[in-house]
Amino acid sequence: MKHFLLNSLQKTQNKYFKSHILVFSLPFVVLSISLLLVMTSNAKKQILTTDANSLDLATSQLRSELTQLQETAKEIALNPNLSQFFLENNDFSGQAKQELRRYSIANRITSDIFLHYDQSSQLQSSYGTMTTETFLRHKYPNATIKSETLNQALNNMTVPTVLPDREGMNPQFLYFLTPINGSNAQRLGTVLFVIPVMNLTEQLELNVAESKQNIFLFQNGQLLTGTDSNAKFQVIYEKSSEHISTLSLNNEEYFFHRQQVPDTDLVTYSLINKNVLNPLIERIVWTILISLLIFLVIGVIIVMMISYKQYEPIAKLNSLYRKVVSTQEIQLHENQPFLENIGDYLVHQTEQLAYEKVVLQQVEIQKFWQLLLNGSLQDLTIIETEMEKYGEHFSPGNSYMIGVLSTKFASDPLKNMKIKSVLVDYLPINDKHYRVNFVEMPFSETIVFIVQIKSKNETTEISQTIRETMQAFVQTITATNVPIYFGEVVSVINQVDRSYMTALSEKEKNYRPTLLLHAPTVFEQEKVVDPVKVNFQENLILKLLQAVRSGATTTIESLLKELFEQIKIQKLTTPFKRAYLYNIFNQLLFVMNEEGIEIHLDNHFFRSVLTDRESFDLILQLSLKIARYFEESNEEQKEKVNDEIIHYIHQNYTRNNFSLDELAAHFTCSLSYMSRTIKEQTGVTFSKYIQNLRLEAVKQALIETNKPIKEIIQNAGYYDVSNFTRKFKTMTGQTPGNFRKENRVEY
């Protein structure tokens, strides 16, 4: 973990860490924002619901109080002690005043009750009898309502009515007028309840749910009372509407509700400042931020652990790859100190020569194993001589087995190249029971393992152990589950081509399991033979097809002999024999059609009765023609790729960071294979070839252009001008400036 933290800024680790933290944090941030919006919306909804409930309760209570006053008016109408006769008779008026005083005290919101009969011009109360003028002038002197208006309401009003004592300004009292009827439902008069506005205000305040909530009572646009006396709220009625839920007053935003008091012209309004949401939102935000921070810390730890687990095999691969690089001539370190000491220079040259010798030997060893795999080497004496020459011990007591591994380990070319390079760097493998050599075949993207089993006894058990060991070895190095396909164990080294074809067949069957099921039929009348009665030797045919594709002519002839031997072993009659031979021919035809190979076939000759020898020669001739096509095609492809490698070098050698690993990754091969290829094509190592190209480019530019020497050297791929100048003098005997003077071409 410490290693991961120390290297977390490196490219690969940043790639994994950033991708994982993005995958983790993005959904969490989206979830947090969504949660914030939902919680804020719920908080707003809760506030609005509370506001609406408070307004509904206030309106209901106001309605209840007014209803109670109407019930009181009915009781007054039915009370005999409050009849017009009793009120106007001096003997009984005292008792009537006591009754009115009792009703006034019983109602919480009223201060006085006055009774007016239609036949009278007087107002009866617990204070006595008075006219409306006296009522307005002496009892309520601050009232601005006209006596004519009050008289008209007292005499003509048929439904309960509310009149403010002041018109167009803040009232102090409200007059609630309720008509009363007799037992015969005939109108008798009006009861006038005097309601102090202060009492209504106190009642509204009891229903305020939030400190910033206000409830107001309006009548026909006039503000009667409210829990806030600020004059700005008098415009609520004008700005409000049933279709809006918010109001803007003096640059402040309010949530808004309104309700009509039933059976009256009174309207209640509720306003709550939107700022009331701020503390709630602040608490929600802090809660989410703290939770986000906690989960983010946990997430970062988890992501770092996951990234470390994913980076661990990459770090291991890079570590192994650096070891490979240390043994290969990978980069052109042109900025390393110049070897001025002759002794250091000679040591360096000796090391270079030794390295080139090793590369050449590797080239020859790879060619030798390829000849064995193709069946081109059959003479055991020659094979023994070659193996001894390359340091390989030849023993007649050994057995042999071939394994084929696909090298498509990763989609990233650079990573794939590193895995290949590390894998082949571990080869050959020496064990007391076996030795493993290899051949890299980049054109088919495979590595072929040549396993020498140091015993001919108990080979089945040993070979199984080797298979498992090799598979585990590959899995450990590559960190993948790419399988190795093994051929059979052969007792003689010149038969490894048979094992190789078996391994290729197994690999082919894995990738194309229906390979033999779609071969075109040449002779329709022969395909009806019952396949149960004929063993078509599909495994042998698959080996034959692989030998044809590999151009292994010796192996082709050997496999065909084995196939034809089966005719005798199975004792096939003529129809079955024809079907057996036509099946082989059809499979070859399938290969031709698949690859677009055009070879003239005489169908008339094939329909005639042939001897076994004639059939053998005919199929062998066809197989060899197809094999030669593949052999020529493979050679052409190899030459083409080699030309492309040289071309790619010439296109990129002037880049300072151009390297052998870039070249190997581009052409999907290992470092060692690319190093051998360049040595084989140019006669020198990669670094030497690049150095020569750059040197020639500098010489040419010095002679043919007027560019500054520094610019020429940097354009050739060097950035340490002084170091290159010393190297240039060593290689040419002159400084770049003197070289230009002596070889200058005037333009």
Side-chain angles (χ1 to χ4, degrees), residues 301-537:
I301 294 172
I302 293 172
V303 166
M304 289 173 67
M305 293 176 65
I306 294 173
S307 300
Y308 174 68
K309 287 295 182 183
Q310 289 202 329
Y311 174 70
E312 196 173 21
I314 298 173
K316 181 179 178 181
L317 173 63
N318 288 337
S319 176
L320 294 172
Y321 181 70
R322 283 192 290 270
K323 293 179 181 178
V324 175
V325 170
S326 66
T327 62
Q328 296 281 345
E329 193 179 32
I330 308 302
Q331 300 279 2
L332 280 180
H333 297 295
E334 53 86 16
N335 57 326
Q336 57 186 309
F338 178 69
L339 299 174
E340 294 181 341
N341 184 283
I342 188 64
D344 292 342
Y345 178 76
L346 291 175
V347 170
H348 178 71
Q349 290 297 102
T350 302
E351 290 175 350
Q352 287 291 317
L353 291 172
Y355 172 73
E356 292 181 13
K357 182 179 179 181
V358 171
V359 171
L360 287 173
Q361 187 178 29
Q362 289 175 347
V363 171
E364 296 302 320
I365 292 173
Q366 291 281 303
K367 288 181 178 179
F368 167 74
W369 290 122
Q370 285 181 343
L371 291 174
L372 269 180
L373 293 173
N374 288 332
S376 300
L377 282 179
Q378 292 296 314
D379 192 315
L380 291 176
T381 304
I382 296 176
I383 293 174
E384 181 180 1
T385 303
E386 291 294 312
M387 289 184 68
E388 294 294 341
K389 183 171 70 172
Y390 301 129
E392 296 290 338
H393 178 66
F394 174 79
S395 174
N398 288 352
S399 299
Y400 301 89
M401 179 175 63
I402 301 299
V404 175
L405 174 68
S406 172
T407 56
K408 296 178 181 179
F409 303 116
S411 57
D412 180 21
L414 183 59
K415 181 180 179 182
N416 204 50
M417 181 274 296
K418 288 181 178 181
I419 294 174
K420 288 182 188 179
S421 301
V422 170
L423 184 61
V424 300
D425 189 63
Y426 275 88
L427 301 170
I429 298 174
N430 274 309
D431 184 85
K432 64 179 181 179
H433 297 299
Y434 60 88
R435 175 177 170 82
V436 181
N437 285 284
F438 77 99
V439 176
E440 184 179 355
M441 298 186 172
F443 305 127
S444 59
E445 294 189 89
T446 56
I447 290 177
V448 180
F449 299 111
I450 301 101
V451 183
Q452 302 177 57
I453 305 172
K454 299 175 182 179
S455 173
K456 286 186 182 294
N457 302 320
E458 301 178 357
T459 54
T460 303
E461 182 178 347
I462 295 175
S463 64
Q464 182 59 35
T465 302
I466 293 173
R467 287 184 173 94
E468 294 172 358
T469 303
M470 288 296 296
Q471 189 65 66
F473 161 73
V474 169
Q475 186 173 354
T476 302
I477 298 298
T478 65
T480 65
N481 293 317
V482 179
I484 305 174
Y485 300 94
F486 288 95
E488 73 269 26
V489 178
V490 295
S491 59
V492 186
I493 192 170
N494 60 2
Q495 293 180 351
V496 293
D497 57 321
R498 301 290 296 273
S499 183
Y500 178 47
M501 298 309 158
T502 303
L504 289 177
S505 300
E506 292 298 319
K507 177 176 177 290
E508 191 75 9
K509 282 194 290 186
N510 181 72
Y511 287 97
R512 301 170 63 185
T514 58
L515 177 65
L516 296 179
L517 300 181
H518 301 288
T521 303
V522 178
F523 304 109
E524 297 292 335
Q525 70 273 24
E526 302 296 344
K527 70 175 183 178
V528 297
V529 174
D530 186 358
V532 177
K533 297 180 181 179
V534 181
N535 183 351
F536 286 99
Q537 298 294 320

Side-chain angles (χ1 to χ4, degrees), residues 16-31:
Y16 281 95
F17 182 76
K18 288 178 180 178
S19 62
H20 283 101
I21 200 68
L22 181 63
V23 170
F24 174 83
S25 61
L26 186 60
F28 189 75
V29 169
V30 172
L31 180 63

Side-chain angles (χ1 to χ4, degrees), residues 103-117:
Y103 282 119
S104 177
I105 295 172
N107 288 279
R108 293 179 301 175
I109 64 172
T110 60
S111 60
D112 287 313
I113 298 178
F114 293 85
L115 183 58
H116 176 269
Y117 284 98

Side-chain angles (χ1 to χ4, degrees), residues 36-54:
L36 175 63
L37 294 176
V38 170
M39 293 179 70
T40 304
S41 176
N42 287 340
K44 175 182 175 182
K45 185 178 180 180
Q46 183 179 358
I47 290 174
L48 293 178
T49 301
T50 304
D51 179 54
N53 291 340
S54 299

